Each structure stands twice: as structure tokens, then as C-alpha cells.
């Protein structure tokens, strides 16, 4: 199984390579903005990206009819320009209110278990799997499996079981998905809503990026059997949730943009030409410095292979939180 034994040891031993103190600046340390990010919003205002784009995690061989797996270069430029404008707006607001940016964040979480019926085969997973998923998130985002500690922790506030065959399976981009989220979503921009169930098109999950105005589609969708103890072989240690919440906190895939341009807009993740699957030790698809970041949570490798965020990713997430989701 290649790296699996060593990586599993790191996941349980918890070796963090950086400290939270390094991540608390509100500047986008380690972030490489698109070339037009600052010039696109010189006056501090910028039209919010028109799409509510979602980013998915896909099994090897999987596909999505609408291919929600990557952004275009134009979408990246729009998102990074919007982040710049949002940061300027929030800085002006905080200056007037005498408030300071958040340095640590506890995210309240509501989990909606979407099921066809009351059976496990019909989506009715036990609440214990949800509790274990929250534990995985807290370990991953604290740097407990290796890599950088981030500013984030997660607190489960509610598990909501919903029996509705019309929403099962959850189909990405469908009117049924919109109906489900419009009916069920709770809280403000700082509330993480997770929707669990069987998913369409062999997808493991998808998520929305943050926006300045709360949209009813905001949240994360995850294959229920990808939770710890689930039946999704090689993807059942809970890291689909880790990956999708990374998108919800404004991270791109490590392979975004391939080998050229600003890539994933983070300077300390080596460029990667395409998604990595399974655990291809030593893979190196770009000529730049560093081998492919196959152990990064924002790639597509097996759960047993991925175990870390970088300091630049941690900083980007905190910057985006203070721009978009902070109260």
C-alpha cells in the first residue's frame, strides 16, 4: 500500500510542523493572488462573482455531468479580486467599529442526514459516525496529523435526520439540491451546514466557496459512507469532509491551474499538473520546485495518503474567514 503504514502512524501520533502563532496575521501570507486581483478592485468595490461555483472531490474513474471539479482561470481571477475587495470592506468596517480580526475560530456545525428511509442502505447512518467526523476535522485542522495548524475548530450543534426520497440521492446542481438546501439550511455565514447522503455521479462531495452575501446554497455536501467507519473503501476515514470544508474556507485544489500561472493561489504548495489518485509516491508532474503535494488534503488521493495543510493554506483560510464569514 505504499505510504499507508507511515501515514497512518502520523495520523495517530499527531506531529505538527508549525504553530498557530505563525498563522494569525490577517494579511494573506503565502497567498499568491491572480495578476488582476488588486487592479480589478481599485476603489474597494468589486462585483461579487456571479456563479455559486462548487468544487468536488471525485473518486478515480468518477465523473460529474457538470464537472464541478475545477475553476477556470477567469473564475480564479474573479474570486481573488473579490477577496481583495471583501478584505478592504471588512477593514473599513472594523476600523469604524473598533473591532479586530479574529485569530482563532470555532465553527458551529449543523449536520443534515438525508435519507431515503430508516435503513442504513437508505442513508440512515448512526450519529456516532457524525461525531467521529467532527473529531477527524478537529484533528486535521489543528495540525494533529502533520503539516500546519490552522485557526479553526469545529463544534457540532445539531444532527438533523431528514427522510425525503425526492432528495435522495443528492444530485449536484439539481433543482432538488436547491430545494433541499433552501428548506434546511440554518444559521448565518459562520454556520457550517453539512449535507450527508448518497451522491450522484460517483462524487465524494462538493462545496461552495464563501461569498459576501449569504446564499441558500452555502454549505458542504459529503457522501455519508465516506465518514469514519463508512463503506466507501479507501475514502472512509473522514477526509472528504476535511477536503470539502477547505473549499468552504476558500481553498482551491492543489492542481488548480496546472503547472502555470498562480495555481492554487498559495505559494507553499508545489504546482501539480493534474489530480493525484491513490497514493503515487514521488509523483512530480511539473518542472518547478517540489514534488506533487499528494499528501495535501486538497488533492484527490486516498484518505490514508492525505494528512496535511500548509502554512500558506492555513493563512489563506483565516484571511478568507475574516473577509467573508466573521460576524
Amino acid at each position: 500500500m505504499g505510504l499507508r503504514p507511515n501515514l497512518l502512524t502520523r495520523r495517530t501520533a499527531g506531529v505538527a510542523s508549525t504553530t498557530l502563532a505563525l498563522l494569525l496575521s490577517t494579511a494573506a501570507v503565502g497567498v499568491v493572488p491572480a495578476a488582476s486581483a488588486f487592479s480589478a478592485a481599485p476603489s474597494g468595490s468589486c462585483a461579487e462573482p456571479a456563479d455559486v461555483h462548487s468544487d468536488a472531490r471525485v473518486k478515480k474513474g468518477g465523473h460529474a455531468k457538470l464537472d464541478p471539479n475545477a475553476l477556470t482561470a477567469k473564475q480564479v481571477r474573479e474570486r481573488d479580486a473579490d477577496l481583495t475587495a471583501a478584505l478592504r470592506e471588512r477593514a473599513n468596517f472594523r476600523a469604524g467599529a473598533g473591532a479586530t480580526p479574529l485569530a482563532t475560530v470555532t465553527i458551529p456545525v449543523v449536520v443534515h442526514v438525508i435519507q431515503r428511509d430508516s435503513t442504513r442502505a437508505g442513508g440512515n447512518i448512526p450519529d456516532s459516525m457524525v461525531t467521529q467526523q467532527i473529531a477527524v476535522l478537529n484533528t486535521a485542522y489543528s495540525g494533529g496529523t502533520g503539516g500546519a495548524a490552522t485557526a479553526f475548530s469545529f463544534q457540532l450543534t445539531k444532527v438533523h435526520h431528514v427522510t425525503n426520497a425526492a432528495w435522495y440521492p443528492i444530485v449536484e446542481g439539481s433543482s432538488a439540491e436547491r430545494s433541499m438546501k433552501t428548506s434546511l439550511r440554518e444559521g448565518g455565514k459562520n454556520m457550517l451546514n453539512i449535507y450527508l447522503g448518497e451522491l450522484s455521479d460517483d462524487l465524494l462531495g462538493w462545496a461552495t466557496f464563501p461569498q459576501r452575501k449569504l446564499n441558500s446554497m452555502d454549505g458542504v455536501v459529503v457522501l455519508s459512507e465516506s465518514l469514519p467507519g463508512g463503506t466507501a473503501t479507501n475514502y472512509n476515514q473522514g477526509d472528504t469532509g476535511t477536503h470539502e470544508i477547505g473549499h468552504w474556507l476558500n481553498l482551491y485544489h492543489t492542481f488548480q491551474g496546472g503547472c502555470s500561472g498562480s495555481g492554487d493561489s498559495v505559494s507553499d504548495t508545489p504546482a501539480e499538473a493534474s489530480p493525484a489518485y491513490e497514493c503515487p509516491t514521488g509523483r512530480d508532474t511539473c518542472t518547478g520546485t517540489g514534488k506533487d503535494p499528494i499528501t495535501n488534503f486538497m488533492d484527490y488521493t486516498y484518505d490514508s495518503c492525505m494528512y496535511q495543510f500548509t502554512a500558506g493554506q492555513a493563512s489563506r483560510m483565516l484571511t478568507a474567514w475574516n473577509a467573508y464569514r466573521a460576524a
Side-chain angles (χ1 to χ4, degrees):
M1 294 298 291
L3 290 179
R4 181 167 182 157
N6 288 338
L7 289 174
L8 287 176
T9 300
R10 293 193 70 168
R11 293 171 74 90
T12 55
V15 180
S17 63
T18 188
T19 63
L20 186 60
L22 296 175
L23 311 175
L24 302 185
S25 169
T26 57
V29 178
V31 176
V32 181
S36 63
F38 286 87
S39 60
S43 64
S45 62
C46 177
E48 198 164 7
D51 69 318
V52 184
H53 188 84
S54 62
D55 246 22
R57 187 181 181 205
V58 185
K59 300 176 186 177
K60 185 175 183 180
H63 67 283
K65 287 179 288 187
L66 300 177
D67 192 10
N69 309 319
L71 292 89
T72 65
K74 179 182 178 182
Q75 286 171 323
V76 169
R77 288 194 299 270
E78 289 174 346
R79 288 216 53 82
D80 285 350
D82 189 72
L83 176 59
T84 300
L87 282 169
R88 187 176 289 115
E89 285 182 1
R90 296 294 292 183
N92 291 337
F93 170 79
R94 280 191 286 267
T100 58
L102 293 175
T104 59
V105 180
T106 299
I107 300 175
V109 182
V110 173
V111 175
H112 309 278
V113 180
I114 310 302
Q115 51 198 56
R116 182 183 59 221
D117 52 46
S118 61
T119 67
R120 174 72 177 266
N124 185 23
I125 61 170
D127 288 1
S128 59
M129 290 176 64
V130 176
T131 303
Q132 291 170 36
Q133 176 68 73
I134 298 299
V136 166
L137 296 176
N138 280 317
T139 300
Y141 279 81
S142 70
T145 53
T150 81
F152 300 96
S153 62
F154 302 84
Q155 183 173 41
L156 181 63
T157 63
K158 181 179 182 180
V159 180
H160 182 205
H161 288 258
V162 181
T163 302
N164 189 330
W167 295 342
Y168 192 92
I170 305 172
V171 179
E172 194 274 329
S174 67
S175 59
E177 181 196 7
R178 180 170 294 277
S179 173
M180 174 190 73
K181 289 182 172 180
T182 301
S183 300
L184 300 180
R185 196 193 183 285
E186 297 185 18
K189 290 189 291 185
N190 69 322
M191 176 77 78
L192 171 59
N193 281 246
I194 301 177
Y195 303 86
L196 304 177
E198 182 67 23
L199 306 187
S200 65
D201 304 307
D202 290 323
L203 293 174
L204 292 163
W206 61 86
T208 56
F209 289 109
Q211 293 188 314
R212 281 180 277 175
K213 294 181 180 179
L214 180 62
N215 189 292
S216 63
M217 297 298 284
D218 181 80
V220 167
V221 179
V222 173
L223 176 69
S224 56
E225 293 294 348
S226 74
L227 271 62
T231 60
T233 303
N234 296 315
Y235 302 101
N236 58 358
Q237 295 182 25
D239 284 328
T240 293
T242 306
H243 175 105
E244 298 305 338
I245 291 166
H247 289 312
W248 188 77
L249 293 170
N250 210 43
L251 293 185
Y252 303 145
H253 290 133
T254 52
F255 48 86
Q256 173 65 45
C259 298
S260 61
S262 63
D264 66 349
S265 297
V266 179
S267 63
D268 61 359
T269 56
E272 185 177 25
S274 60
Y277 294 97
E278 299 177 356
C279 197
T281 309
R283 184 178 190 253
D284 192 4
T285 57
C286 295
T287 57
T289 303
K291 294 181 179 180
D292 291 0
I294 66 167
T295 60
N296 195 283
F297 286 123
M298 302 311 294
D299 209 333
Y300 274 0
T301 51
Y302 287 161
D303 282 13
S304 59
C305 189
M306 55 173 58
Y307 64 84
Q308 65 178 326
F309 291 113
T310 67
Q313 288 175 315
S315 179
R316 180 177 174 86
M317 287 188 281
L318 182 56
T319 297
W321 182 273
N322 279 302
Y324 291 114
R325 297 196 181 277

